[in-house]
Every structure is written in C-alpha cells, then in structure tokens.
Amino acid sequence: MQCLITTTVPKPVTTVKGTCCSSLACRVDYERIRAVGPDRAASEWLLRCGATVRYHGQERWQKDYNQLPTGPLDKYKIQAIDATDSCIMNIGFDHMEGLEHVEKIKLCKCHYIEDDCLLRISQLEKLQKSLLEMEIISCGNVTDKGIVALRHLRNLKYLLLSDLPGVREKENIVQVFKTTLPSLELELQLK
C-alpha cells in the first residue's frame, strides 16, 4: 500500500515591488532570529515585503533581498526603514523586537498597517529608546488610537502624519503629544 503525501503552497495575497506577500511570508521565524540576529532577520522580512533598509554608517539603501550584505552578522545594524508601498503587516512585527539602532521609520501607502502595528512599535523597548523620526502617510487603516499609542516612543523628535482619513481628532492628538513628548515636532497634513 502506498501513501501519497501532497502539500499545497499558499497563493500570494498580492505582489509588492516584485515580491510575494502572504501572511505565511510575514510570519516570524524565531529560530532564524536566534541564528542570524535581529537586524539580519528583520532585514530579510522587510525586504521580502517590499520595504528597504539603510544600515548604520552607510548611505545606500538596501533594496534587493538577494544582495543583502554578507560577513559578520553583528556588523550591519538597521538605522532606517522605508516601508513605502510594502506589505508589512502586524503578524511580522515581532521581527523588530531586538532592533536597537533604528532612528527612522517611514510608513507610506502601507495597506496592511493598522492601529495594532503602531501599538506594537510603541511597545518595543529598544525602539522606544532609539526611534527619533517617524512618517505615516496614506495608511488608510490607521486611526487616532494607533497614533496616540506612539506617545510611548520617548525619544521621538519628529512625527509626520499625512493623508490619514481614519485620524479624526487632530486637536486631541496635538494635546496628547504636547503633554507626553513636549519636544516633538509634530507635522500634521490631515483633512
């Protein structure tokens, strides 16, 4: 008697900048993080999802997953993340847990970014210390709740909020940040 085993490959949800994006591709592989470190694992996840990263001490943005730098794994520390038009989603944000050197995050036209993603970012202790600048632009699932969660990013110096139809209470947001982050430069380009 023969046993036939078949497997099915999940179909991609969408294609972003030439990469497949499915919830399976975004899942966190904790073994991989332990094996290669948080910066390498986060780089792999971000690039798979169509984002780009810039490493500390480098001018060039890393865009190609197949061109990720080799060498000592602790040499390349993510300094900036540009997730423009990427498919990063909440299921993958644990990749960012150990990142200690991220100073800037740009979320622009990220269709899967929602309040829980911003809440997760604001809960990551190492990002609370390192993150200085953040831009959230044209992310339609973000509401006041997600923006207000960013008040926990205690070293944030600049926050740009633009084209966020779910953000309705601008005055409340301004007041929250004036109280919790008085040195924050808050730029609102909201209707």
Side-chain angles (χ1 to χ4, degrees):
M1 183 176 211
Q2 288 185 329
C3 180
L4 180 61
I5 299 173
T6 61
T7 58
T8 58
V9 177
K11 293 181 180 178
V13 175
T14 186
T15 301
V16 178
K17 292 184 184 177
T19 62
C20 291
C21 187
S22 70
S23 62
L24 184 61
C26 290
R27 284 207 177 107
V28 180
D29 182 349
Y30 297 99
E31 286 296 318
R32 181 73 179 154
I33 294 171
R34 281 190 286 282
V36 300
D39 287 274
R40 175 64 185 223
S43 295
E44 292 173 357
W45 167 64
L46 288 160
L47 270 59
R48 263 195 322 268
C49 292
T52 61
V53 297
R54 192 178 71 232
Y55 297 110
H56 190 70
Q58 296 190 359
E59 296 292 320
R60 186 177 60 90
W61 285 86
Q62 183 67 44
K63 299 175 184 178
D64 186 349
Y65 180 90
N66 295 314
Q67 297 294 317
L68 278 167
T70 57
L73 295 175
D74 61 345
K75 180 180 177 184
Y76 298 97
K77 303 295 184 186
I78 298 175
Q79 183 178 19
I81 298 168
D82 184 347
T84 299
D85 291 319
S86 73
C87 64
I88 62 172
M89 60 182 74
N90 196 34
I91 194 170
F93 271 75
D94 280 358
H95 283 101
M96 299 175 78
E97 177 77 40
L99 301 180
E100 298 181 23
H101 305 280
V102 177
E103 296 176 0
K104 181 175 181 175
I105 296 176
K106 181 177 182 180
L107 303 172
C108 180
K109 299 178 188 172
C110 299
H111 301 293
Y112 301 108
I113 292 294
E114 55 196 10
D115 293 339
D116 288 343
C117 301
L118 300 182
L119 179 61
R120 184 68 183 120
I121 287 172
S122 72
Q123 293 171 337
L124 297 172
E125 287 185 36
K126 293 178 180 175
L127 282 182
Q128 287 177 353
K129 294 177 186 175
S130 69
L131 197 58
L132 303 174
E133 297 179 35
M134 191 161 189
E135 297 178 8
I136 306 170
I137 305 163
S138 302
C139 296
N141 295 320
V142 171
T143 71
D144 299 85
K145 178 183 171 188
I147 299 303
V148 169
L150 300 175
R151 72 188 183 278
H152 299 293
L153 299 171
R154 60 182 172 263
N155 289 320
L156 198 62
K157 302 294 179 215
Y158 175 76
L159 178 60
L160 168 64
L161 305 174
S162 177
D163 188 26
L164 301 172
V167 175
R168 303 182 194 286
E169 298 178 26
K170 291 183 278 189
E171 296 80 19
N172 182 50
I173 288 172
V174 169
Q175 190 58 43
V176 165
F177 285 115
K178 273 185 181 179
T179 304
T180 57
L181 298 171
S183 63
L184 176 70
E185 179 186 340
L186 179 60
E187 185 175 342
L188 299 176
Q189 298 173 4
L190 304 170
K191 292 181 182 179

